[in-house]
Amino acid sequence: MSEEAELREHICMMAKSLYDRGLTAGSSGNISARLGDGRLLVTPTGSSFGRLDPARLSLFDSEGRLIGGDKPTKEMPLHAAFYETRPKKTGAVVHLHSSHSVAFSILPGVDADNMLPPLTAYSIMKLGKVKLLPYFMPGDPAMGDAIRGLAGKRSAVMLAAHGPVVSAKDLEAAVYAIEELEETAKLAMLTRGANPSLLTDAQIADLVRTYDVEWD
């Protein structure tokens, strides 16, 4: 199986796993992943993660031109911004409309610079700091501009009242990271107002140093 055929199958398999576990619903969410030659495979607009066809994924050349497949997601600006600002660290981007992270994003008192409280080591290890961005209308190119404004310093952002977007070195890493984001948001919702014991600054610093976490 060629690299392209394998990646097409992998995107559809990972997307169905996310869909089957209720991490995105209907036709929401989108995934992109880069091939070794710089081409990009992207989930089409209006498609369900539960029923993707590998042959119909949108295909872009290394210059960002659509060269095959169905019409791509309207949220390409999100994906393009990560590939542009983090070119050596981004091999895939995943965007979901997962319930707990969306709910947490619209609560008062959330730290916009570091949305997730340090409840576990794993969110820090896999995500670093998650930037909470303001609401944008779906498909608005300004979403990409907001990510570019971070100058490549964040691998994950949360679009208020919309959903998380995570970039990583490959598709599997991006999926695992966005799952961790949703789980941490769920924990934050469950423990909100209960005065949970958070990781200390020293514990966070140890994780950042040991696992080479981006933490500005």
Side-chain angles (χ1 to χ4, degrees):
M1 184 181 292
S2 69
E3 179 199 15
E4 181 181 332
E6 186 173 347
L7 185 56
R8 286 176 179 273
E9 294 287 344
H10 198 199
I11 289 171
C12 295
M13 179 188 72
M14 297 299 270
K16 189 173 189 307
S17 174
L18 292 166
Y19 181 87
D20 287 348
R21 289 177 291 133
L23 290 169
T24 204
S27 61
S28 67
N30 33 80
I31 291 173
S32 66
R34 191 164 54 185
L35 290 156
D37 60 7
R39 290 179 300 154
L40 206 63
L41 286 167
V42 184
T43 53
T45 187
S47 59
S48 167
F49 271 21
R51 299 185 300 277
L52 290 176
D53 181 348
R56 297 181 65 177
L57 296 180
S58 310
L59 179 64
F60 288 79
D61 66 16
S62 59
E63 302 300 318
R65 295 173 295 225
L66 182 65
I67 58 173
D70 290 352
K71 183 179 178 181
T73 172
K74 62 181 172 295
E75 291 175 340
M76 277 302 295
L78 288 173
H79 298 255
F82 275 110
Y83 290 108
E84 290 171 18
T85 60
R86 295 172 60 85
K88 295 182 179 179
K89 297 180 178 180
T90 302
V93 177
V94 180
H95 169 44
L96 301 179
H97 295 181
S98 42
S99 299
H100 293 93
S101 53
V102 173
F104 193 62
S105 77
I106 57 178
L107 292 179
V110 175
D111 183 353
D113 190 56
N114 188 16
M115 174 189 167
L116 299 175
L119 293 165
T120 73
Y122 299 99
S123 66
I124 293 166
M125 292 159 57
K126 292 184 180 295
L127 297 158
K129 292 182 179 179
V130 178
K131 179 75 172 181
L132 176 61
L133 296 176
Y135 169 78
F136 296 96
M137 185 174 69
D140 186 345
M143 291 188 291
D145 294 335
I147 291 171
R148 290 184 187 91
L150 301 175
K153 294 181 179 180
R154 301 294 175 90
S155 66
V157 300
M158 178 68 203
L159 302 169
H162 186 160
V165 192
V166 173
S167 66
K169 63 179 181 179
D170 56 39
L171 177 58
E172 198 163 83
V175 168
Y176 291 165
I178 207 165
E179 288 175 342
E180 195 63 48
L181 195 160
E182 172 65 6
E183 285 301 304
T184 305
K186 181 179 180 180
L187 287 173
M189 295 286 290
L190 289 171
T191 58
R192 189 170 175 85
N195 195 28
S197 296
L198 303 177
L199 297 182
T200 66
D201 289 344
Q203 289 168 331
I204 293 170
D206 193 32
L207 288 166
V208 169
R209 181 175 58 255
T210 302
Y211 293 96
D212 193 25
V213 177
E214 294 179 83
W215 194 265
D216 56 25

